[in-house]
Amino acid sequence: MKKKISAKIANHVENITVDEIYDLLEIPPTTEMGDFSLPCFTVAKKIRKDPVQIAMELKEQMEAADNGAEFIRIEAVNGYLNFYLNRKEYMKDILSLAMQDGYGTDMEGAGKVICMDYSSPNIAKNFHVGHLRTTIIGNSLYKIYAKLGYQVVRINHLGDWGTQFGKLIVAYQKWSSRDQVEAKGIEELLRIYVLFNIEAEKEPALNDEARAWFAKMEKGNREALALWEWFKEISMVDYARVYQLLGVDFDFYIGESFYMDQVPAVSAELEQKGLLQESEGTNIVPLEQYHMPPCLITKKDGSSIYHSRDLAAALYRRKEYHFDKCLYVTGMEQKLHFAQVFKVIELMGYEWYENLVHIPYGLVSLEGAKLSTRTGNIIYAEDILKEAIKRSLEIIEQKNPDLPEKEKTAEKVGVGAIIFHDLYNQRIKNVSFSWENVLNFDGASGPYVQYTYARAGSILRKAKADSLTAIDAELLTAQAEYELVKVIALYPGKVKEAAERYEPFILARYGVELAAAFNKFYQDCPILTAEDGVKAARLGLTGLVQKLIRETMDLLGIECPEAM
């Protein structure tokens, strides 16, 4: 409808495009002010005319052209042009579209490939609540792009290489044993890693030992590599449990170590293209003229570093997957790192550098305290997910003790609550974790949307109705029905907007909006006691809403239980 209105307005205004009008069109805060509104102030600047006069002239011209087909009236109010839709025709159009298979699916991505680099935990460190952000955001974006027809290559770029493994080897040799690690697993590895950082503050020579062990790893030392492989195996067992709880999977687990032997070729290419410089024993690509520090390629001992391994990864992915875009879902603190890497790719002469996108997100805190692996101030992801499931089960026991499959439902509600809490705000914003907000069944939360889905299902079961039946829009005359259909109409645009802006929060907010509109409809419009024709139409609307809630939540990576 926005496209239609934009095209109609463009027929009567010079020097402004349909797309510009589309961007200006608003949905007023209340239906009394219209269904769509054009503020004429920007138009006035373009065509140098009074906005009030523009609104009045457009009103007359468009009323004559439309003659009541799509608008019951058009009003000009203080420089705004307000459109009131012909509700019956509008609802017919929207519901006929929404009932079709694939509603909200736009195959704009057909034949295109998106590589996604997300989750990427550091081996030998617990998967903490901070790691949940990249995993949850990345998984949602994968689902959104897949819905739009893209082939998505999901890569878990494990942090399985670097000086931290030199630190871990030193720590293991000094303060642990094979029996202790096998007994306690990753918990023991984290203990000695934190201990190393504490002791290194007092004895800086420990850092030199760590660098020496990492250099041995890079040169193929058997003892060092055997310990590294063992630490990696222990870590992956832990991560697998978390991914299973989240319902997350990947196409490839390709860590930094995979690219280690490709770094010399990258260095050689940089040197051949006149980009590599020696600086105090290291090799760098200077970036001062681009207002960035130098991009470090190899360290003094010749070992690789994050930058060089990420350069090798980008070159490999382009060659292997022929991506149209490569997305990196990592914390805001890595903004400079990726700006450097992308700039070097550009300087190497690869035009596809423009298709490399860093998708940053804010920090996770618990009551304002930043989480840090170095200090041990962490909350484990598995613990927080299990706690959410436990608390959800307690609520179910209180409110619906006879619910079948309580444990499965509690898992869907608990895990869904954690995911929704993370995705409800813009990803760049910091997340302050709060149980009160996470498991709120009444506010803007995952359980609220899931409960609305379950309520819709309960209505359909009581009526013994199919989940999706034809809807006679002529019989839907109540205001709450119209408002609900208007929200249903937003779904395809929300999916596209979430993809274009790399923002799952758009769909999380939409899920709450759809649930709220349905609950208002449920309160205002009797369903099971309505006359047969109206009852059938309202049941059809109920089934459609349930389907859209399920799809919206699935795009966020959340399952909806059939009963709660």
Side-chain angles (χ1 to χ4, degrees):
M1 185 53 68
K2 277 185 76 174
K3 287 179 182 176
K4 278 186 181 181
I5 295 172
S6 303
K8 287 174 184 288
I9 294 171
N11 289 334
H12 303 288
V13 184
E14 294 180 354
N15 302 322
I16 189 163
T17 67
V18 174
D19 288 342
E20 287 173 320
I21 293 168
Y22 181 90
D23 290 337
L24 291 173
L25 272 178
E26 299 174 349
I27 296 175
T30 66
T31 308
E32 289 75 22
M33 299 170 70
D35 296 300
F36 293 94
S37 180
L38 175 71
C40 295
F41 309 100
T42 303
V43 179
K45 290 177 185 176
K46 288 230 172 203
I47 64 176
R48 296 184 179 182
K49 218 175 197 180
D50 178 56
V52 174
Q53 185 184 350
I54 293 169
M56 290 295 295
E57 290 177 0
L58 281 173
K59 167 184 162 22
E60 292 171 6
Q61 292 165 346
M62 294 189 69
E63 278 181 339
D66 183 69
N67 198 26
E70 285 181 321
F71 311 115
I72 53 172
R73 72 180 189 275
I74 302 171
E75 289 182 353
V77 182
N78 299 326
Y80 285 84
L81 188 64
N82 301 327
F83 299 90
Y84 296 80
L85 298 177
N86 182 327
R87 293 187 177 187
K88 284 187 179 179
E89 293 304 315
Y90 176 72
M91 290 172 76
K92 271 187 198 174
D93 287 349
I94 294 302
L95 291 174
S96 66
L97 283 170
M99 293 296 288
Q100 293 175 16
D101 288 339
Y103 179 61
T105 301
D106 184 329
M107 296 308 288
E108 65 174 47
K112 296 178 182 177
V113 176
I114 288 182
C115 275
M116 289 193 61
D117 176 330
Y118 62 102
S119 193
S120 312
N122 291 318
I123 295 298
K125 295 179 185 177
N126 287 78
F127 199 110
H128 65 64
V129 72
H131 291 129
L132 280 176
R133 293 221 71 191
T134 169
T135 309
I136 289 168
I137 294 167
N139 187 53
S140 179
L141 288 174
Y142 145 66
K143 287 173 171 285
I144 291 166
Y145 288 117
K147 187 172 182 67
L148 293 175
Y150 290 91
Q151 178 190 342
V152 185
V153 181
R154 301 167 293 172
I155 301 168
N156 196 333
H157 186 74
L158 297 167
D160 66 351
W161 204 251
T163 308
Q164 69 266 32
F165 290 99
K167 293 179 180 181
L168 199 60
I169 291 171
V170 172
Y172 169 71
Q173 291 175 333
K174 288 183 178 294
W175 304 302
S176 191
S177 67
R178 178 166 285 273
D179 288 345
Q180 285 174 279
V181 172
E182 286 182 348
K184 295 184 179 178
I186 205 166
E187 182 184 337
E188 175 66 5
L189 297 181
L190 182 66
R191 181 190 72 81
I192 60 176
Y193 181 79
V194 171
L195 181 58
F196 177 93
N197 285 287
I198 293 169
E199 293 300 319
E201 291 285 332
K202 297 181 264 183
E203 192 181 342
L206 286 170
N207 287 314
D208 295 328
E209 287 185 53
R211 283 189 284 269
W213 271 105
F214 177 57
K216 288 181 183 179
M217 282 174 60
E218 291 228 306
K219 291 170 185 173
N221 179 278
R222 288 186 180 182
E223 182 185 1
L225 290 177
L227 285 170
W228 167 73
E229 286 281 5
W230 182 42
F231 296 154
K232 190 173 173 179
E233 286 169 12
I234 289 168
S235 304
M236 291 308 297
V237 171
D238 247 48
Y239 301 157
R241 290 198 306 271
V242 176
Y243 292 136
Q244 186 175 9
L245 278 173
L246 290 170
V248 170
D249 201 0
F250 297 89
D251 298 302
F252 299 101
Y253 288 82
I254 303 179
E256 290 185 73
S257 61
F258 178 82
Y259 305 103
M260 185 264 296
D261 60 359
Q262 299 172 37
V263 170
V266 174
S267 296
E269 183 177 348
L270 289 169
E271 188 169 13
Q272 185 264 323
K273 291 179 175 176
L275 297 170
L276 201 66
Q277 289 186 12
E278 190 272 335
S279 175
E280 298 179 2
T282 66
N283 283 318
I284 64 165
V285 175
L287 298 174
E288 284 79 2
Q289 69 184 98
Y290 306 105
H291 311 291
M292 286 185 275
C295 182
L296 186 61
I297 303 301
T298 55
K299 292 185 279 188
K300 288 182 180 180
D301 58 8
S303 59
S304 63
I305 196 167
Y306 295 124
H307 297 87
S308 49
R309 295 192 289 270
D310 273 341
L311 286 167
L315 293 167
Y316 173 84
R317 290 168 187 172
R318 177 67 179 184
K319 181 181 176 183
E320 188 71 16
Y321 308 119
H322 310 288
F323 61 73
D324 294 272
K325 271 189 181 181
C326 186
L327 311 181
Y328 298 80
V329 185
T330 73
M332 185 66 183
E333 65 274 12
Q334 293 195 43
K335 184 177 179 181
L336 174 61
H337 167 80
F338 283 106
Q340 291 174 304
V341 170
F342 298 167
K343 176 55 71 173
V344 173
I345 293 285
E346 179 187 357
L347 295 174
M348 292 172 82
Y350 295 111
E351 292 182 359
W352 47 267
Y353 79 92
E354 295 180 334
N355 300 323
L356 302 171
V357 183
H358 178 218
I359 300 174
Y361 54 84
L363 297 169
V364 181
S365 65
L366 180 67
E367 298 177 355
K370 182 181 173 182
L371 306 176
S372 167
T373 314
R374 286 176 177 271
T375 61
N377 177 28
I378 58 173
I379 307 167
Y380 300 154
E382 187 175 10
D383 289 347
I384 211 166
L385 290 168
K386 286 183 174 178
E387 180 67 17
I389 294 167
K390 175 175 165 285
R391 291 185 182 220
S392 297
L393 185 58
E394 288 170 359
I395 294 170
I396 291 169
E397 292 284 7
Q398 291 168 13
K399 296 189 173 185
N400 193 1
D402 298 325
L403 181 73
E405 297 187 320
K406 284 183 284 192
E407 289 75 14
K408 285 186 179 178
T409 299
E411 184 170 320
K412 289 177 183 178
V413 173
V415 173
I418 298 291
I419 294 172
F420 198 93
H421 179 69
D422 189 289
L423 296 181
Y424 186 70
N425 294 302
Q426 287 177 289
R427 57 181 160 73
I428 206 65
K429 291 187 176 180
N430 294 340
V431 172
S432 182
F433 191 84
S434 156
W435 282 115
E436 185 180 348
N437 294 329
V438 170
L439 290 172
N440 186 348
F441 279 73
D442 299 316
S445 66
Y448 169 72
V449 180
Q450 288 173 316
Y451 183 75
T452 304
Y453 173 87
R455 167 180 275 176
S458 175
I459 293 166
L460 294 170
R461 286 191 296 273
K462 285 177 183 175
K464 297 181 180 177
D466 293 333
S467 57
L468 276 179
T469 56
I471 304 170
D472 187 346
E474 294 275 353
L475 299 174
L476 300 175
T477 58
Q479 181 68 20
E481 292 166 334
Y482 177 57
E483 297 294 346
L484 179 55
V485 171
K486 282 175 68 178
V487 177
I488 289 169
L490 298 174
Y491 178 62
K494 296 293 183 183
V495 176
K496 287 194 72 172
E497 186 184 357
E500 288 165 2
R501 293 174 56 186
Y502 312 112
E503 284 284 16
F505 95 93
I506 290 164
L507 285 169
R509 297 286 174 101
Y510 175 74
V512 171
E513 186 179 1
L514 181 58
F518 176 77
N519 287 323
K520 183 73 168 69
F521 155 74
Y522 174 77
Q523 289 169 5
D524 292 0
C525 305
I527 301 173
L528 298 176
T529 58
E531 294 179 6
D532 287 349
V534 175
K535 176 181 175 181
R538 288 176 178 171
L539 285 170
L541 194 55
T542 300
L544 176 58
V545 169
Q546 192 194 36
K547 172 178 176 285
L548 289 183
I549 289 177
R550 181 176 63 247
E551 289 184 6
T552 301
M553 295 292 268
D554 180 67
L555 291 176
L556 299 173
I558 298 169
E559 284 189 78
C560 287
E562 295 302 320
M564 282 175 70

